[in-house]
Amino acid sequence: MGLRRKSRELALQFLFSHDFQERASVPVPDVLMQEWELFCQSFEAGPRTVPYGRTLVEGIWRHLDAIDTLLAGHSHNWRVERMSAVDRNILRIAVFELRYSGDVPAQVAINEALEIAKRYSIDDSVAFINGVLDAIQTMGPH
């Protein structure tokens, strides 16, 4: 498994756990990054996977509203908050890479999302994720 895949999976695990933590407010970026560092230490993340995972988490947090708006507009009959936490965060990672990361080809972002979905989600989710990402990818650059 490639280093970036491990980083994506680490980011997925962090975002998934973050979804389930009760909070009175959305954390500010500094607090989020402190939580990221603690998460990586607690789960003994490989030091080479942490930097790209951090890039994903920071970027998703910075563009969360825009990413979720894209997801809502391209996931017919599914509100973002009603998606499974795994699928929602796989999609967020891929959409960040599609729309805001200049160094990840669209097909790589989509294929990585599908491979991670095969590992962490259910069979039906793979087709759902592929459909949403394909629709977003065909929009072209933002």
Side-chain angles (χ1 to χ4, degrees):
M1 180 183 320
L3 188 58
R4 283 219 168 164
R5 166 92 48 91
K6 290 179 182 178
S7 297
R8 288 178 185 99
E9 290 184 1
L10 183 63
L12 171 65
Q13 292 163 354
F14 174 78
L15 294 166
F16 177 87
S17 70
H18 203 268
D19 274 359
F20 286 99
Q21 295 174 2
E22 298 290 330
R23 289 199 165 68
S25 63
V26 175
V28 294
D30 290 342
V31 172
L32 183 72
M33 288 300 96
Q34 289 171 358
E35 292 172 0
W36 167 256
E37 295 301 325
L38 285 172
F39 179 86
C40 291
Q41 290 170 9
S42 297
F43 291 96
E44 299 178 4
R48 293 179 39 199
T49 63
V50 172
Y52 188 64
R54 180 185 175 119
T55 296
L56 293 171
V57 169
E58 282 182 314
I60 290 164
W61 207 254
R62 189 175 316 112
H63 301 287
L64 186 62
D65 290 339
I67 290 169
D68 283 357
T69 298
L70 277 172
L71 292 176
H74 293 87
S75 55
H76 306 291
N77 302 318
W78 280 96
R79 293 183 319 210
V80 174
E81 62 274 6
R82 297 276 302 159
M83 293 176 190
S84 81
V86 172
D87 295 351
R88 176 175 54 244
N89 287 302
I90 290 171
L91 285 164
R92 284 173 173 165
I93 291 167
V95 170
F96 172 76
E97 288 184 320
L98 284 170
R99 305 300 284 178
Y100 301 101
S101 175
D103 69 336
V104 179
Q107 201 56 49
V108 170
I110 293 170
N111 287 340
E112 285 293 303
L114 298 177
E115 290 301 316
I116 292 170
K118 289 175 188 174
R119 183 167 181 191
Y120 289 93
S121 198
I122 61 172
D123 290 340
D124 290 344
S125 291
V126 176
F128 170 72
I129 288 169
N130 188 46
V132 172
L133 293 177
D134 186 54
I136 291 171
Q137 186 262 336
T138 58
M139 291 175 46
H142 70 284

